[in-house]
Amino acid sequence: MSSAGDGEDGGGAAADTMVLEITDAAASPSSAPPPPPIPVSALAAPLPSPTVLAVRADRSRLIESSSYFRALLGGSFSESGSGYVRISCDLAAAVQVLRYLFEPPASFAISHHNFLPLLEGALFLAVESLLVDCERWFRTVRSRNPSMVVPLDFIIEAWYFAPKHGVTFVEDVCPGYLAQNFVQVISSRSFVHIPYDLLCSTIESPHLTVDSEKQLCEAILSWVSASRQSCEQSVSNSADNQLSLLSKVRVCLLPLGFAAGTKRNCFEFGNNAVCMILNLLKDSLQTLLHTVTDDNLDSYRIRLTEYSKKIVLSGCPQLTTQFLYISALPTDLDAVFKRTIVSDVNDGCLNHYNGLVKKAKTLSFRNVRIVDLSKCPNVHFGAVILWMKWTFPELRTFIASYCLLFQFEDLQCLLLRCPWINEINLSIDTSVILSKYSIISSRSEVRRDVNRNLSSYYMQSGLYGTSGNPVFSNISKLILEGRNDITDMNLLEISMLKSSLCYINIKHCTLLTDDDSFSYHKDEHAHVMAFRLQELHLEGCEGISCAAMSQLVSNMNIVKSLCLRETSLADGALCNFVGSSLEYLDISETVVSMVSLAPVIRRNSNLSCLKTAGCRNLLFEQGEVQSTSGNKYGRFLQEITSTCYLEDVEMGWAFCPVRVDDLIPSFSKVRRMTVGLGTTLPENILHALPEICPFLESLVLRFQVISDRVVRNLLESSTNLQVLCLHYCLGNLTSFSFQTMAPALRILRLQWVTPWITNDDLTILTQNCNLVELLLSGCKLLDSSSQEIISSGWPNLACLQLEECGQITLDGVDSILDCKALEEVLLRHTGRGIGRTIITDAIRELPLLRKLALDLCDASEGGYDTPNVPEGKMMRSVRMSRCKKSVAAARSCFGEASSSSSNRKPVQHRETIVLEWSSRQLTTTVVEERL
């Protein structure tokens, strides 16, 4: 390209080159002379002036590419013959257009950084090819790999830009793009700034991709909350928008606990959602059949798209197998065929599944990697396994925790039907009956709701017991925590997975032993399996002998997570451990000492979790008691602080820091801390915990000396604190401790530390924190009105434990049963007003209830009825404690001499009746103590 002259009229310039002076339209007029012209090639560098620019450009290229310049330079305007032309427009936009026209394509690309200036410049200067390229680029953004490739701020800016400039393709693309990337979109800080009309269009898009309906509802509620605070809209418009957005939520797919929780801030929506879910629980089949007739199944379809990666349905007791199947069926099926499928896809009716699904050509979603059906007791797992096989051919993780009816045969079937799965979580609540308890009597009976039609979907191929079977090459992580019906034979079958399994959790699988009858098979597989293990959790497996434990530990060289809590672990076994990759170690309630623990700590510098609560022998060394002068305590503390940066710690015996400096900086990353018996943290350290542990999320204190100053500072300064548990702590707390906002707090346990709590204090607590778990004991000033305060203040409460709490249940438990999200309830010595039918009522009214503990002292009619069919599908255990008989007739069950006595004492209990369900049977046990 030839150079242009510097004169205003372009004298001396080559015939095809001109100088284009561009003044920014938004700049104030200036009398300053323009800067000297620069070549087009220099536009990529910083501009000499932010308001005016002179550039040498090829006239023919401008005329050829732009209708604007074609008219200006090639028409009858005076500029058509001039070598120096002035225009006024957006300077940044014009620069981007000139770069597009004159730079080689390889060195200039459209991106979200320059798209809007390019588009604005292309519109103003009428560069047709650039308009086409801008539209092509914007549309291809959506068609690329479905993950956020442009910032949300850019999408919002483009959305506002489009209607002002008459650009329609932006409005066509934005909703679909945000819909398919919605999971990433809602994690952006800019989400709350999305315009209402864009958010509405996004939610209505058929490509809307979310992990769960809960995730969508949470996003809408956060957007609505931010919209209210911004005051950008009138109150009426804001309310209308809120209702409009919430109406797009498929309420019947919300978790019950979450739906109940929305009542705190959106009572009408939350109440309607809970009512709809409870109605579905009564008869979902008829509801779906009526919906099929009306051709209105969309409200009951799980949102599945080609971009879905995770399906989370946890906590939806209303969910049945029919919901799963209708979500995977093509929408164009006729109503008669849909009714056939909905009718036949019923518990135990698997005869027509294969034919129906083949005929319907079930949709396949190859990007789904995770399915979570935890706390979904009303799905038939045989049908679920077939559904996953057909619908998610690339599934990698299956979670079904707290699904008690999932049997070991279902696990075998899952491994055979879906061999590509590599992670399975089937954990349930651990048994309340431990081996240390004295058993008076015990009897078992087969569950009446146990599945008896396994043969209709279980593959009787005989291949499962073959160690060389290649279909088991993928399973790497297996969680069976709490499954106390898993036997040694089952474990033997699991050991066939030795070539792939490296993470196994069998906590409290109490039937497991080291039975010699399996020694041949154990020798064949155990050492290979142990060598490969990276995670092993054996908590509560007390049947494993010391010799077997020693052999097991000696073979685990690459293990990263090891839980041997409440096992036979001793120094001899732990000394055999030579691994150096530990990140998690739990040896609580074992007899190990510093002789074996210290070398493990030194060798594992990546240790981030250490739990040693209840290890009394840490005070001993080689059988001799050490001096309590602080030196030996310091030895244990020194091992930790000199080696580790802990995130999770449980401390008991032998841990006693003297100064705050002892804990900094090794505790600076701690998120979860438990301090128990055997350790006493001074008040200055407790008060400094927010400073020592700035990321603290959970704090459990047992037998510590606390004060208002400590507790108040924790709630005010530990802004991430979600769990606060104070058990049997000394000190004089007052209501001042909790008269502060704690928006992050979710779990509060106050065991024998707050006898002064009144209904007014409870009301303040409901205003200051949104709890899902509450434990109170020794709060003797509470009465029946407290129930209403608790149920209305925390409608999403999942766990409620009240012990020795005045007369809360004197008038019954109606308000407690209004907390529909409850999963665990304990009521002991709370007032003699609980009716005989409490067990049946609780199972019927609380769909998620798993654990119920009562005291016969509170029975209004002397006892409780055990229903004829006491088998709620979620129920794990019911406990009923009985007090010792009083010597004097005047003494009450609370241990009082009379009703005027001011000092109530905890009562010793004679026995506890325990009803406990497993996947196959109901066991009734009488234990000679209180549980």
Side-chain angles (χ1 to χ4, degrees):
M1 182 186 298
S2 58
S3 300
D6 295 334
E8 182 177 340
D9 60 358
D16 224 18
T17 301
M18 58 168 290
V19 174
L20 183 64
E21 181 184 311
I22 309 170
T23 302
D24 192 272
S28 302
S30 174
S31 58
I38 61 173
V40 172
S41 59
L43 292 177
L47 301 180
S49 170
T51 59
V52 64
L53 173 70
V55 61
R56 293 189 293 271
D58 186 288
R59 179 190 297 268
S60 299
R61 183 67 181 274
L62 291 175
I63 294 173
E64 175 188 340
S65 305
S66 165
S67 298
Y68 176 90
F69 286 117
R70 195 176 305 129
L72 182 66
L73 303 179
S76 58
F77 291 101
S78 58
E79 289 86 352
S80 62
S82 174
Y84 196 105
V85 175
R86 295 185 178 89
I87 64 172
S88 177
C89 63
D90 184 281
L91 181 58
V95 167
Q96 292 300 324
V97 172
L98 291 174
R99 292 187 61 194
Y100 167 81
L101 293 177
F102 292 98
E103 287 188 16
S107 62
F108 183 83
I110 301 176
S111 70
H112 68 270
H113 297 292
N114 62 12
F115 172 79
L116 289 177
L118 275 172
L119 184 56
E120 183 175 359
L123 290 167
F124 183 84
L125 299 176
V127 182
E128 291 82 0
S129 61
L130 180 53
L131 288 172
V132 171
D133 285 347
C134 284
E135 180 174 355
R136 182 186 299 113
W137 177 85
F138 199 76
R139 290 190 183 279
T140 57
V141 165
R142 178 181 167 186
S143 63
R144 295 176 191 172
N145 189 13
S147 59
M148 284 292 287
V149 294
V150 296
L152 179 56
D153 287 335
F154 164 75
I155 296 293
I156 295 174
E157 189 178 359
W159 181 262
Y160 281 122
F161 175 92
K164 294 178 181 178
H165 297 82
V167 179
T168 58
F169 69 83
V170 169
E171 296 179 351
D172 294 339
V173 173
C174 284
Y177 176 77
L178 294 186
Q180 72 186 45
N181 295 288
F182 199 73
V183 174
Q184 291 80 28
V185 168
I186 60 179
S187 64
S188 169
R189 293 183 178 180
S190 301
F191 171 73
V192 295
H193 301 303
I194 294 178
Y196 167 76
D197 53 349
L198 175 56
L199 181 58
C200 196
S201 299
T202 298
I203 295 173
E204 291 174 346
S205 170
H207 301 289
L208 180 64
T209 302
V210 290
D211 295 343
S212 65
E213 204 67 20
K214 171 188 173 183
Q215 189 178 55
L216 172 62
C217 192
E218 283 179 324
I220 291 175
L221 291 174
S222 68
W223 185 93
V224 168
S225 176
S227 178
R228 287 174 178 171
Q229 296 174 7
S230 66
C231 300
E232 293 178 355
Q233 307 175 55
S234 67
V235 175
S236 59
N237 284 343
S238 178
D240 291 343
N241 291 348
Q242 172 184 341
L243 293 175
S244 177
L245 290 173
L246 288 175
S247 68
K248 303 179 190 306
V249 175
R250 298 176 182 178
V251 173
C252 61
L253 298 177
L254 289 176
L256 177 56
F258 173 78
T262 60
K263 293 166 66 174
R264 273 180 66 95
N265 298 313
C266 296
F267 180 81
E268 183 177 357
F269 171 81
N271 193 56
N272 290 339
V274 170
C275 290
M276 180 178 289
I277 292 170
L278 295 179
N279 287 335
L280 276 174
L281 277 164
K282 295 175 183 176
D283 195 348
S284 63
L285 178 59
Q286 288 303 316
T287 300
L288 289 175
L289 288 174
H290 288 314
T291 305
V292 170
T293 302
D294 298 336
D295 196 23
N296 188 28
L297 274 178
D298 283 348
S299 297
Y300 300 90
R301 285 179 178 270
I302 302 163
R303 297 182 193 267
L304 292 172
T305 73
E306 60 181 300
Y307 310 105
S308 297
K309 295 180 179 179
K310 182 189 296 185
I311 306 299
V312 179
L313 301 167
S314 176
C316 296
Q318 74 277 16
L319 199 73
T320 62
T321 314
Q322 290 91 342
F323 284 83
L324 306 181
Y325 275 77
I326 63 174
S327 302
L329 294 176
T331 56
D332 57 355
L333 289 179
D334 63 80
V336 175
F337 193 57
K338 289 179 182 176
R339 284 181 64 88
T340 302
I341 291 178
V342 171
S343 300
D344 285 356
V345 180
N346 205 353
D347 291 356
C349 299
L350 303 171
N351 298 328
H352 306 296
Y353 276 15
N354 285 303
L356 285 173
V357 174
K358 289 179 181 178
K359 184 177 179 181
K361 297 181 180 179
T362 308
L363 300 176
S364 179
F365 303 90
R366 306 192 71 88
N367 287 318
V368 172
R369 296 292 185 270
I370 300 174
V371 169
D372 187 351
L373 290 174
S374 300
K375 302 178 188 176
C376 294
N378 290 310
V379 297
H380 185 279
F381 283 102
V384 167
I385 292 168
L386 293 181
W387 172 69
M388 292 192 300
K389 174 189 175 182
W390 292 318
T391 311
F392 310 124
E394 300 294 333
L395 188 66
R396 294 294 180 267
T397 300
F398 175 60
I399 305 171
S401 57
Y402 304 106
C403 293
L404 197 61
L405 294 181
F406 196 104
Q407 301 173 18
F408 189 79
E409 288 81 1
D410 294 315
L411 172 60
Q412 293 174 308
C413 179
L414 176 62
L415 293 173
L416 288 165
R417 293 284 193 181
C418 308
W420 49 86
I421 287 182
N422 56 31
E423 292 188 18
I424 300 174
N425 184 345
L426 304 175
S427 59
I428 60 173
D429 294 298
T430 57
S431 173
V432 297
I433 302 175
L434 304 180
S435 60
K436 64 183 179 181
Y437 298 146
S438 300
I439 306 298
I440 298 175
S441 65
S442 181
R443 62 182 177 85
S444 299
E445 57 186 281
V446 176
R447 290 187 66 127
R448 303 182 190 182
D449 55 356
V450 69
N451 176 34
R452 303 182 186 276
N453 294 318
L454 291 174
S455 59
S456 61
Y457 70 90
Y458 178 47
M459 296 177 65
Q460 304 288 346
S461 63
L463 292 176
Y464 188 81
T466 304
S467 61
N469 184 8
V471 302
F472 303 121
S473 60
N474 290 320
I475 184 69
S476 62
K477 187 169 186 177
L478 183 60
I479 300 176
L480 300 172
E481 181 174 340
R483 296 270 173 182
N484 58 336
D485 52 355
I486 297 290
T487 65
D488 283 337
M489 179 60 76
N490 298 144
L491 189 62
L492 173 63
E493 294 173 339
I494 291 172
S495 71
M496 301 294 179
L497 309 173
K498 65 180 186 298
S499 62
S500 61
L501 192 64
C502 53
Y503 298 87
I504 185 167
N505 180 337
I506 48 177
K507 286 183 179 181
H508 289 282
C509 294
T510 51
L511 290 185
L512 297 180
T513 68
D514 55 329
D515 191 344
D516 293 336
S517 62
F518 297 107
S519 59
Y520 170 77
H521 300 285
K522 286 189 174 184
D523 289 341
E524 181 182 358
H525 302 302
H527 71 282
V528 178
M529 190 172 174
F531 182 78
R532 290 181 55 85
L533 285 177
Q534 297 184 45
E535 179 176 324
L536 177 63
H537 288 209
L538 293 176
E539 178 181 340
C541 294
E542 298 176 346
I544 302 175
S545 68
C546 294
M549 180 67 70
S550 182
Q551 182 182 11
L552 176 65
V553 170
S554 65
N555 282 291
M556 294 188 295
N557 297 332
I558 61 173
V559 66
K560 294 182 179 179
S561 179
L562 183 60
C563 177
L564 302 175
R565 191 185 193 109
E566 298 177 17
T567 65
S568 60
L569 182 70
D571 281 343
L574 192 57
C575 284
N576 288 336
F577 178 72
V578 295
S580 57
S581 304
L582 274 179
E583 299 172 3
Y584 177 105
L585 177 62
D586 185 353
I587 55 168
S588 300
E589 305 296 337
T590 62
V591 295
V592 300
S593 72
M594 283 301 295
V595 173
S596 60
L597 180 58
V600 173
I601 295 175
R602 293 190 201 109
R603 198 167 53 246
N604 291 271
S605 58
N606 291 326
L607 199 64
S608 61
C609 173
L610 179 61
K611 299 184 178 183
T612 62
C615 294
R616 291 175 176 266
N617 282 5
L618 291 178
L619 290 172
F620 296 76
E621 185 172 341
Q622 297 178 347
E624 296 184 6
V625 178
Q626 296 299 311
S627 167
T628 58
S629 63
N631 182 44
K632 292 300 179 182
Y633 292 124
R635 179 180 297 177
F636 179 43
L637 182 60
Q638 182 180 3
E639 296 293 348
I640 298 174
T641 56
S642 64
T643 306
C644 311
Y645 282 86
L646 297 174
E647 296 181 14
D648 189 352
V649 59
E650 286 190 14
M651 303 172 290
W653 300 96
F655 185 96
C656 193
V658 179
R659 302 171 303 165
V660 173
D661 293 345
D662 292 339
L663 303 178
I664 299 177
S666 60
F667 276 44
S668 61
K669 296 182 179 180
V670 167
R671 296 180 181 274
R672 293 169 295 278
M673 177 185 291
T674 297
V675 182
L677 188 63
T679 290
T680 301
L681 295 183
E683 185 183 23
N684 67 314
I685 289 184
L686 289 173
H687 187 267
L689 278 180
E691 175 188 350
I692 298 170
C693 312
F695 304 108
L696 192 64
E697 297 174 359
S698 173
L699 179 64
V700 180
L701 300 178
R702 292 188 174 92
F703 302 101
Q704 303 298 303
V705 179
I706 56 177
S707 64
D708 282 343
R709 175 172 173 263
V710 168
V711 175
R712 182 76 177 233
N713 186 57
L714 279 168
L715 294 176
E716 290 179 342
S717 303
S718 295
T719 56
N720 298 314
L721 192 65
Q722 300 174 29
V723 179
L724 178 61
C725 305
L726 306 176
H727 301 281
Y728 304 101
C729 291
L730 304 176
N732 296 316
L733 288 187
T734 69
S735 59
F736 177 75
S737 294
F738 300 97
Q739 293 175 358
T740 183
M741 295 294 294
L745 195 65
R746 294 294 177 267
I747 296 175
L748 180 63
R749 299 174 186 165
L750 303 174
Q751 193 168 17
W752 300 101
V753 292
T754 53
W756 41 262
I757 279 187
T758 64
N759 286 339
D760 289 340
D761 297 319
L762 270 182
T763 301
I764 293 173
L765 265 178
T766 63
Q767 297 166 353
N768 289 340
C769 52
N770 182 14
L771 298 181
V772 296
E773 183 173 328
L774 175 66
L775 183 156
L776 297 175
S777 61
C779 303
K780 59 185 179 180
L781 300 180
L782 299 181
D783 56 31
S784 55
S785 300
S786 307
Q787 278 192 51
E788 172 62 24
I789 296 171
I790 291 171
S791 63
S792 60
W794 297 303
N796 55 330
L797 209 60
C799 176
L800 177 62
Q801 298 186 27
L802 302 172
E803 183 176 10
E804 303 284 355
C805 285
Q807 301 294 309
I808 286 183
T809 58
L810 186 63
D811 297 328
V813 292
D814 289 347
S815 292
I816 290 177
L817 295 182
D818 285 339
C819 293
K820 299 302 181 182
L822 279 172
E823 302 175 17
E824 181 177 352
V825 176
L826 182 149
L827 301 171
R828 280 184 174 157
H829 292 170
T830 53
R832 187 171 291 154
I834 301 179
R836 296 192 65 90
T837 60
I838 177 61
I839 297 175
T840 303
D841 295 342
I843 292 174
R844 183 184 64 251
E845 297 293 330
L846 305 176
L848 293 172
L849 187 66
R850 303 195 311 275
K851 295 191 287 185
L852 176 63
L854 303 167
D855 199 301
L856 292 175
C857 298
D858 299 321
S860 61
E861 301 171 63
Y864 305 119
D865 291 338
T866 300
N868 293 330
V869 187
E871 295 176 347
K873 292 182 180 180
M874 287 288 291
M875 286 302 298
R876 175 62 165 148
S877 66
V878 174
R879 290 174 284 162
M880 294 172 282
S881 298
R882 295 195 286 197
C883 295
K884 287 184 177 180
K885 293 182 178 179
S886 303
V887 176
R891 294 184 66 85
S892 73
C893 62
F894 291 98
E896 301 176 73
S898 67
S899 59
S900 61
S901 177
S902 59
N903 295 318
R904 291 184 176 180
K905 298 180 180 179
V907 178
Q908 291 183 337
H909 282 66
R910 181 174 61 183
E911 58 194 21
T912 300
I913 304 170
V914 181
L915 305 178
E916 188 167 85
W917 288 263
S918 69
S919 64
R920 291 190 173 277
Q921 64 186 22
L922 164 63
T923 302
T924 303
T925 306
V926 181
V927 181
E928 194 178 7
E929 56 191 288
R930 181 184 191 177
L931 298 185

